[in-house]
Amino acid sequence: MGVISLRVPEEELARYKDYARIQNQSLSAVIRTTMMERIEEEYDLKVIENYETQKAAGEVELYSHDDVWAELGV
């Protein structure tokens, strides 16, 4: 497993530790979870933005529920 060293002011470190204690998790676990959540949120927003751009440009083809079921032969 890799190691990341992070320098933060003592006041911030105290907040991080307090939050980890409240969450009943290690500081490392809280930082990992928070970073992954942030990355996933930004990724999701980028995907939505790309979809909206393509939709506005008329590059997205939409199908009704009935059309999909018919195409699948259901």
Side-chain angles (χ1 to χ4, degrees):
M1 184 177 291
V3 176
I4 297 174
S5 177
L6 180 64
R7 296 184 190 283
V8 296
E10 289 296 324
E11 184 177 305
E12 284 183 27
L13 180 58
R15 286 185 193 171
Y16 299 158
K17 286 181 177 180
D18 286 344
Y19 182 77
R21 189 172 31 256
I22 290 168
Q23 297 299 316
N24 198 28
Q25 295 182 355
S26 68
L27 184 55
S28 291
V30 167
I31 291 171
R32 279 194 313 270
T33 301
T34 302
M35 284 300 300
M36 287 308 299
E37 287 173 355
R38 175 71 184 262
I39 290 167
E40 289 171 359
E41 286 174 13
E42 288 188 22
Y43 175 80
D44 290 345
L45 290 173
K46 187 64 175 173
V47 168
I48 292 168
E49 179 184 320
N50 288 341
Y51 167 78
E52 293 293 338
T53 299
Q54 290 176 334
K55 184 178 175 185
E59 299 171 357
V60 175
E61 190 170 348
L62 302 175
Y63 299 92
S64 72
H65 178 79
D66 293 330
D67 291 341
V68 172
W69 283 117
E71 188 168 327
L72 293 173
V74 179

